[in-house]
């Protein structure tokens, strides 16, 4: 009876709480719409009120929010408010201004936990700390160090070629380039960075569980980004339990354990200066240990986080570029014929000494293919979110106060139709000063850009008062008269540009140059669905997960 008598009080309390929460939400919406420092930035009113719109498209719909951003730029122009806090830009000429080498931006703090490597330099929030951590590794990934190592990388490509020659050439056997490139890239990255060799490229059909796991884990990016407690919960569980819940984690746990053991060996050897060495070359850990980083920055967990970040960030991005190039070359016989002729002239002896990276870089058409595959594979497709803790950001008539999150996206930058006409077409000729008139039309992927977006881009670009380069071989963007390479940003720009870009470029030239010099391929049940991006999970994901499947043609 007492419970019945108390019911009105309980209902009253619930009503008060409900009313208070409702008033809070109304007040929050009013603030975000009419009082927020970014209230005047164009954009959808719904996304200005709530961040759940982004969560819905990224988590429930599966990596689709990037396409909503693209639509908003079509509607509102080159500056758009994409959620209650963040502003996104789509002005090609503003990219270098925003991400200049002199910028001192920080990252969004809560995002450093999404990969489970919060102390890696890539995920470091504050600019000064990132600069210290990054600076310790810069010498290891310098161009000269990469070139000194390139003979090993070339040997790995030669190993792939021998397997294609003996096992696949002239047969009906099919393999997937996604698996072959991922295995090769992982082997080369891990050996160079950590002196660890897994020989994934020797696995049956090049299918390695670890490289598959990296791709599967990327699909959890948005879930843990929007709900960080999910990752915290998983990390609180024993590895054995997580492995049962998510079998894709098992190869990753194995890699983590082996990396940990390798770090311990190298730390011990560096500390004792013992004569016996675990590795036959200096690793990234050796570079960090001899740097001026304080001891607290050289803990086991931090070194492990850097290792996981290097592998996780490098494998899929390089693989995607190689897959994009492979499909673009194979799907268009004219592109293959022209590339192969250039490679034969440069390497007349198919069994001769492998070419060096600088030699391959000097080949105009191969160079154009590398640039075009980087353009259409985008590097990372996740928008580059930053804040400036100290200074406002000014764009046209808009000013963002300090600590306002802002971003740009390579996916939108690389598909600007005024900078790159027919942006979804794989066309290496766009990077050459004298396009071949004999080349047949390149493979086309249907464009989703509207005329409205083209008009908004045209508004953002001011082609006046430009100084075209005096070099007649410099290819200029048609809408601006500036060098076309200015708008190619697969590695980002500024102090946080990709650490491994020299490594990636060397891999692209060696892999494509050596493989397409020796072999001709035929696509097998492969089309646009295997390469065209339909979702963003940090890297581009196509509609079909089957990959670019091919046969190696005989002589």
């Amino acid at each position: 009876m007492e419970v019945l008598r108390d019911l009105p009080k309980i209902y009253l309390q619930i009503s008060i709480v409900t009313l208070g929460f409702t008033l809070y939400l109304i007040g929050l919406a009013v603030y975000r719409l009419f009082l927020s420092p970014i209230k005047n930035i164009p954009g959808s009113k719904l996304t200005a009120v709530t961040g759940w719109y982004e969560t819905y498209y990224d988590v429930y719909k599966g990596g689709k929010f990037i396409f909503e951003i693209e639509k908003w730029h079509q509607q509102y122009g080159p500056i758009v408010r994409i959620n209650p806090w963040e502003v996104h830009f789509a002005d090609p000429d503003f990219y270098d201004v925003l991400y200049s080498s002199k910028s001192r931006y920080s990252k969004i703090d809560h995002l450093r936990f999404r990969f489970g490597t919060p102390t890696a330099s890539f995920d470091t929030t504050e600019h000064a700390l990132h600069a210290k951590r990054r600076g310790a590794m810069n010498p290891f990934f310098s161009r000269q160090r990469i070139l000194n190592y390139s003979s090993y990388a070339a040997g790995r490509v030669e190993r792939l070629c021998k397997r294609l020659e003996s096992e696949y050439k002239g047969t009906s056997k099919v393999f997937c380039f996604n698996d072959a490139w991922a295995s090769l890239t992982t082997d080369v990255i891990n050996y160079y960075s950590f002196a660890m060799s897994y020989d994934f490229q020797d696995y049956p059909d090049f299918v390695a569980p670890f490289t598959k796991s990296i791709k599967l884990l990327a699909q959890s990016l948005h879930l843990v980004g929007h709900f960080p407690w999910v990752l915290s919960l998983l990390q609180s569980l024993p590895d054995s339990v997580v492995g049962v819940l998510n079998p894709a984690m098992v190869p990753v746990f194995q890699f983590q354990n082996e990396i940990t053991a390798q770090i311990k060996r190298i730390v011990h050897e560096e500390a004792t200066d013992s004569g016996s060495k675990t590795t036959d070359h200096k690793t990234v850990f050796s570079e960090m240990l001899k740097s001026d980083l304080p001891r607290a920055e050289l803990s086991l967990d931090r070194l492990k986080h850097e290792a996981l970040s290097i592998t996780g960030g490098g494998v899929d991005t390089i693989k995607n570029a190689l897959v994009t190039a492979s499909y673009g070359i194979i799907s268009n016989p004219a592109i293959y014929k022209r590339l192969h002729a250039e490679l034969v002239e440069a390497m007349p002896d198919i069994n001769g000494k492998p070419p060096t990276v600088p030699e391959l870089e000097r080949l105009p058409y191969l160079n154009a293919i590398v640039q075009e595959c980087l353009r259409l594979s985008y590097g990372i497709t996740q928008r580059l979110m930053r804040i400036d803790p100290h200074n406002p950001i000014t764009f046209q008539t808009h000013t963002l106060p300090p600590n306002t999150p802002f971003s740009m996206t390579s996916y939108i930058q690389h598909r600007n139709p005024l900078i790159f006409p027919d942006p979804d077409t794989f066309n290496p000729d766009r990077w050459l000063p004298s396009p071949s008139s004999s080349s047949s039309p390149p493979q086309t992927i249907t464009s989703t850009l509207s005329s409205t977006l083209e008009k908004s881009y045209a508004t953002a670009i001011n082609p006046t008062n430009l100084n075209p380069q005096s070099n007649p071989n410099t290819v200029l963007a048609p809408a601006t008269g500036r060098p076309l390479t200015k708008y190619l940003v697969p590695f980002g720009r500024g102090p946080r540009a990709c650490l491994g870009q020299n490594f990636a470029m060397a891999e692209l030239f060696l892999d494509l140059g050596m493989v397409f010099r020796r072999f001709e391929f035929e696509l097998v049940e492969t089309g646009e669905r295997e390469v065209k991006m339909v979702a963003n999970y940090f890297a581009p994901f196509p509609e079909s997960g089957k990959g670019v499947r091919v046969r190696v043609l005989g002589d």
Side-chain angles (χ1 to χ4, degrees), residues 200-353:
F200 286 152
Q201 63 184 125
D202 294 337
Y203 277 44
D205 295 324
F206 308 103
V207 178
F210 177 75
T211 59
K212 292 291 188 183
S213 293
I214 290 179
K215 181 178 179 180
L216 291 172
L217 289 175
Q219 293 177 281
S220 66
L221 168 70
H222 297 305
L223 178 64
V224 298
H226 287 277
F227 303 102
W229 58 267
V230 173
L231 183 59
S232 299
L233 176 62
L234 291 174
Q235 290 177 330
S236 70
L237 299 174
D239 290 354
S240 57
V241 175
V242 177
V244 173
L245 296 174
N246 185 2
M249 287 299 299
V250 174
V252 176
F253 288 147
Q254 181 182 358
F255 178 70
Q256 289 179 349
N257 294 334
E258 292 170 354
I259 276 286
T260 300
Q262 182 76 329
I263 293 171
K264 289 179 178 179
R265 287 191 289 266
I266 293 173
V267 168
H268 174 73
E269 291 169 358
E270 294 288 334
T272 60
D273 196 24
S274 60
S276 60
K277 293 291 183 182
T278 299
T279 65
D280 58 4
H281 68 277
K282 291 290 185 180
T283 65
V284 69
F285 306 128
S286 309
E287 197 73 45
M288 293 173 69
L289 290 169
K290 75 175 185 180
S291 71
D292 59 359
L293 285 174
R295 191 171 186 83
E297 285 291 306
L298 300 173
S299 67
L300 179 61
D301 278 345
R302 227 197 63 71
L303 294 177
K304 184 173 71 172
H305 286 180
E306 290 291 10
L308 296 174
S309 181
I310 289 169
T311 301
V315 171
D316 251 24
T317 49
I318 297 174
K319 178 206 75 177
N320 287 335
L322 289 167
V323 168
T324 300
S326 300
Y327 179 77
I329 295 167
I330 301 168
S331 63
N332 191 304
I335 291 178
Y336 168 78
K337 183 178 180 181
R338 186 172 173 186
L339 172 65
H340 188 254
E342 181 180 74
L343 294 173
V344 169
E345 183 177 356
M347 296 176 277
D349 184 2
I350 197 171
N351 297 313
K353 181 181 177 182

Side-chain angles (χ1 to χ4, degrees), residues 22-48:
T22 302
L23 291 174
Y24 166 76
L25 292 179
I26 293 173
L28 185 63
V30 169
Y31 170 80
R32 289 174 172 176
L33 286 172
F34 303 108
L35 301 175
S36 167
I38 57 174
K39 63 181 182 296
N40 293 323
I41 303 298
S44 164
K45 299 302 181 185
L46 177 60
T47 57

